[in-house]
Amino acid sequence: MRLHVPTPLRWGDLDAYGHVNNARMLSLLEEARIQAFWVSDDTPEHAVGASTAVIDASAGTSTLTLIARQEVEYLAPIPYGRLPLDIELWIGRMGGASLDVCYEVYSPAGVEPRTLYTRAATTIVLVDAATNTPRRMTDRERAAWEPYVEAPAEFRRR
Amino acid sequence: MRLHVPTPLRWGDLDAYGHVNNARMLSLLEEARIQAFWVSDDTPEHAVGASTAVIDASAGTSTLTLIARQEVEYLAPIPYGRLPLDIELWIGRMGGASLDVCYEVYSPAGVEPRTLYTRAATTIVLVDAATNTPRRMTDRERAAWEPYVEAPAEFRRR
Amino acid sequence: MRLHVPTPLRWGDLDAYGHVNNARMLSLLEEARIQAFWVSDDTPEHAVGASTAVIDASAGTSTLTLIARQEVEYLAPIPYGRLPLDIELWIGRMGGASLDVCYEVYSPAGVEPRTLYTRAATTIVLVDAATNTPRRMTDRERAAWEPYVEAPAEFRRR
Amino acid sequence: MRLHVPTPLRWGDLDAYGHVNNARMLSLLEEARIQAFWVSDDTPEHAVGASTAVIDASAGTSTLTLIARQEVEYLAPIPYGRLPLDIELWIGRMGGASLDVCYEVYSPAGVEPRTLYTRAATTIVLVDAATNTPRRMTDRERAAWEPYVEAPAEFRRR
């Protein structure tokens, strides 16, 4: 199963080529990931991530989420638009203290033809903020994320 | 009359102090301004800016909007949250080829107590892309924006 | 007296108009300010700011520098170039717990004709990190900065 | 052979964790790449890239450099410092119309112990701006880059 995270662009995401900048894409993935996984006091009840957002990553919290690796394929340039991109997000691997989040970034929901702009994967390590060492995934986290485990993204250019 | 533009934060807007970075605030104002004033093919019918978004600023268009001046007062640090900031936006001055857009940036709609985080003003010059010189505001622009003219933002620290 | 802070651009500072983005300009001013005022373990001996960089703002430090206000006039669009912009920086007002830093942003040193791109001012408040309240400027800070006090930037468009 | 591109950080590259943000790392790689490969009118004679910067990518130019793929391993968190990071850059593969640029991002030159922060690779496609299709690498480009071809970066986490 995949989460669909509507992720708004900003005009400032464009670079001098007039398309979303390749580095900025990682900020968009970061934001989608946060919507999907991080607990937030102000999460609306029916939000994307209502069932999966179980990492308490607020200030002074016990968990840091460190990025160990990213892989991104840019398949088509992304123009600015007001409607949010439709980022499909799932878990390609769930390890002891880390997980691989996979993404397919599509044109906004409802816009035809649907275009796949980007395919990506991020390896996240859960780190105990007190000891600064990796910590094991909790049962609660594992249960919340299990339904979203699928085969990892397949990259064509490796 | 003022427009209320819901403007989402990103976690990446925070700096090492854990609050929205002062420079990034200008990107948020930029985005609110674009929602309010720029024509876009994909503007939903009931969007903020449905009546005011009359500058055609798409690629290859005839108008550039240049920023001549900005003034910003930062009144309280802004934490990350999932709910969009509530940016009130109005026109403090409408000139021949330029206008002053004023803003008050508030905590998300519905969150109590309501907090005024930032007060700001931007001077925009309408520029003809072909000649690269200022061009006069059209009657259509003037009519669309007239209802949103109010007294300019009052800055306390000048 | 003014400090001259060579401040490198990045290609990513450009926006879709092909010029340095107006919000990004504040990041450039931020960087110039840090070079000028913040102590850093790795400051080279003959660096800009060798005599003025006396705020210890490293992690876990006692001082936060909060931005209370910014005013910016954009006088000419800035293209990308490899040579660093020449930012002139001085103090327009030195108060009890705050100061106004003024800037004139010029084309790179040695490039003719010299162009004034931007004029700006930032009000900084020194804040005690432990109490989160403003703290008085120390004698050491005052002595280090006194030589750089000049008349404040004069804005033309107020 | 590898190029050493000194690449300055900005304080604004830090995120709320107090380290260089993972997305911002791609902006640093972008900047290093531009120093290394793009022609620029204002390139100083003895600059890094004096011999390799042969893509004319100035405004109105005939070549766009599109990013098709990126892979990044983040090996250690990067703190802010004034001294530029030492980015080693080489070519891991030179194809007909594309090349793989590889990077190792190290702590600033001269700082001990030397730390490898990040390992990365970017696939760049040379695109003819007029036709918007890939174009073949020129003999001049091939000759300029040949000395910098080495074995591609080896990623440990694939």
Side-chain angles (χ1 to χ4, degrees):
Chain A
M1 194 164 58
R2 298 181 179 192
L3 281 171
H4 283 256
V5 188
T7 305
L9 288 170
R10 292 182 185 164
W11 184 79
D13 293 331
L14 305 182
D15 63 22
Y17 283 176
H19 297 125
V20 172
N21 179 261
N22 71 82
R24 208 53 81 86
M25 171 50 69
L26 292 203
S27 297
L28 295 169
L29 300 181
E30 177 177 74
E31 198 55 31
R33 210 160 58 221
I34 287 169
Q35 302 297 325
F37 292 125
W38 289 19
V39 168
S40 178
D41 288 346
D42 70 346
T43 303
E45 211 176 322
H46 301 293
V48 166
S51 71
T52 51
V54 293
I55 302 179
D56 183 2
S58 51
T61 189
S62 53
T63 301
L64 304 175
T65 53
L66 294 195
I67 306 303
R69 182 178 181 281
Q70 304 220 57
E71 184 165 357
V72 191
E73 277 182 8
Y74 302 88
L75 306 172
I78 307 179
Y80 176 71
R82 293 186 177 219
L83 297 174
L85 296 178
D86 176 19
I87 301 189
E88 294 194 2
L89 188 152
W90 71 97
I91 295 173
R93 185 190 60 85
M94 196 146 63
S98 73
L99 69 166
D100 287 358
V101 179
C102 298
Y103 325 76
E104 287 180 353
V105 179
Y106 287 94
S107 45
V111 172
E112 295 297 337
R114 194 178 192 221
T115 307
L116 174 57
Y117 289 131
T118 305
R119 183 181 285 122
T122 306
T123 301
I124 297 175
V125 181
L126 302 175
V127 168
D128 185 311
T131 63
N132 220 19
T133 54
R135 68 138 172 93
R136 292 196 66 76
M137 206 174 285
T138 65
D139 290 347
R140 185 170 169 237
E141 287 163 353
R142 201 169 288 276
W145 299 338
E146 199 88 72
Y148 297 92
V149 176
E150 282 196 13
E154 282 184 35
F155 294 100
R156 298 183 304 187
R157 277 181 170 271
R158 255 196 210 179
Chain B
M1 193 162 60
R2 298 181 178 192
L3 281 170
H4 283 256
V5 188
T7 305
L9 288 169
R10 292 182 186 164
W11 184 78
D13 293 330
L14 304 182
D15 62 22
Y17 284 176
H19 298 124
V20 171
N21 179 259
N22 70 84
R24 207 54 80 83
M25 170 51 68
L26 292 203
S27 296
L28 294 169
L29 300 181
E30 179 176 74
E31 198 54 32
R33 208 161 59 222
I34 286 168
Q35 302 297 323
F37 293 124
W38 289 18
V39 168
S40 178
D41 287 346
D42 69 347
T43 304
E45 211 176 320
H46 301 292
V48 167
S51 71
T52 52
V54 293
I55 302 179
D56 183 2
S58 51
T61 189
S62 54
T63 301
L64 305 176
T65 53
L66 294 195
I67 305 303
R69 182 178 181 279
Q70 305 221 56
E71 185 165 357
V72 191
E73 277 183 8
Y74 302 87
L75 306 172
I78 307 179
Y80 176 71
R82 293 187 177 218
L83 297 174
L85 296 178
D86 176 18
I87 302 190
E88 293 193 3
L89 188 154
W90 72 97
I91 296 172
R93 184 190 60 85
M94 196 146 65
S98 73
L99 68 165
D100 287 358
V101 178
C102 297
Y103 325 76
E104 287 180 352
V105 179
Y106 288 95
S107 45
V111 172
E112 296 296 339
R114 195 178 190 220
T115 306
L116 174 57
Y117 289 131
T118 305
R119 183 181 284 121
T122 306
T123 301
I124 297 174
V125 181
L126 302 174
V127 168
D128 185 310
T131 63
N132 220 17
T133 54
R135 69 138 172 92
R136 293 196 65 76
M137 205 174 285
T138 66
D139 289 347
R140 184 170 169 238
E141 287 163 353
R142 202 168 287 276
W145 299 338
E146 199 88 73
Y148 297 91
V149 176
E150 281 197 13
E154 282 185 35
F155 293 99
R156 297 185 304 188
R157 275 181 170 274
R158 255 198 209 178
Chain C
M1 194 162 59
R2 299 182 177 192
L3 282 169
H4 283 256
V5 188
T7 305
L9 288 170
R10 292 182 186 165
W11 185 79
D13 293 330
L14 304 182
D15 62 23
Y17 284 176
H19 298 123
V20 172
N21 179 259
N22 70 84
R24 208 52 80 85
M25 171 49 68
L26 292 203
S27 297
L28 294 169
L29 299 182
E30 179 176 74
E31 199 54 32
R33 210 160 56 221
I34 287 168
Q35 302 297 325
F37 293 124
W38 289 18
V39 168
S40 179
D41 287 346
D42 69 347
T43 304
E45 211 176 323
H46 301 293
V48 167
S51 71
T52 52
V54 293
I55 302 179
D56 182 3
S58 52
T61 189
S62 54
T63 300
L64 305 175
T65 54
L66 294 194
I67 305 303
R69 182 177 180 281
Q70 305 220 55
E71 186 165 356
V72 190
E73 277 182 8
Y74 303 88
L75 305 172
I78 307 179
Y80 176 71
R82 293 187 177 219
L83 297 175
L85 296 178
D86 176 18
I87 302 189
E88 294 194 0
L89 188 153
W90 72 98
I91 296 174
R93 185 190 59 86
M94 196 146 62
S98 72
L99 68 166
D100 288 357
V101 178
C102 298
Y103 324 77
E104 286 180 353
V105 178
Y106 288 94
S107 44
V111 172
E112 295 297 337
R114 194 177 190 220
T115 307
L116 174 57
Y117 289 131
T118 306
R119 183 181 285 122
T122 306
T123 302
I124 297 175
V125 181
L126 302 174
V127 167
D128 185 310
T131 63
N132 220 20
T133 54
R135 70 140 172 91
R136 293 195 65 77
M137 205 173 283
T138 65
D139 288 347
R140 185 170 168 239
E141 287 163 353
R142 202 170 287 276
W145 298 338
E146 199 89 72
Y148 297 91
V149 176
E150 281 197 12
E154 282 185 36
F155 293 99
R156 299 183 303 187
R157 277 182 169 270
R158 257 200 207 175
Chain D
M1 194 164 58
R2 298 182 178 192
L3 281 170
H4 283 256
V5 188
T7 304
L9 288 170
R10 292 182 186 166
W11 184 79
D13 293 330
L14 305 183
D15 63 22
Y17 285 176
H19 298 123
V20 171
N21 179 260
N22 70 84
R24 206 54 80 84
M25 171 50 68
L26 293 204
S27 296
L28 294 169
L29 300 181
E30 178 176 75
E31 199 54 32
R33 209 160 58 222
I34 287 169
Q35 302 298 324
F37 292 125
W38 290 18
V39 168
S40 179
D41 288 346
D42 69 348
T43 303
E45 210 176 322
H46 301 293
V48 166
S51 70
T52 53
V54 292
I55 302 178
D56 182 1
S58 52
T61 188
S62 54
T63 300
L64 305 176
T65 53
L66 294 194
I67 305 303
R69 182 178 181 280
Q70 306 221 53
E71 185 166 357
V72 191
E73 278 183 6
Y74 303 88
L75 306 171
I78 307 179
Y80 176 71
R82 293 188 177 218
L83 297 175
L85 296 178
D86 176 19
I87 302 190
E88 294 194 2
L89 189 152
W90 72 99
I91 295 174
R93 185 190 59 86
M94 196 146 63
S98 73
L99 68 166
D100 288 357
V101 179
C102 298
Y103 324 77
E104 287 180 351
V105 179
Y106 288 95
S107 44
V111 172
E112 294 298 337
R114 194 176 191 221
T115 306
L116 174 56
Y117 289 131
T118 305
R119 182 181 286 120
T122 306
T123 301
I124 297 175
V125 181
L126 301 175
V127 168
D128 185 309
T131 63
N132 220 21
T133 54
R135 68 139 172 92
R136 292 196 65 77
M137 205 174 284
T138 65
D139 289 347
R140 185 171 169 236
E141 287 161 353
R142 202 170 287 275
W145 300 338
E146 200 88 71
Y148 298 91
V149 176
E150 283 197 10
E154 281 185 37
F155 293 100
R156 299 184 302 187
R157 278 183 169 271
R158 259 199 205 176

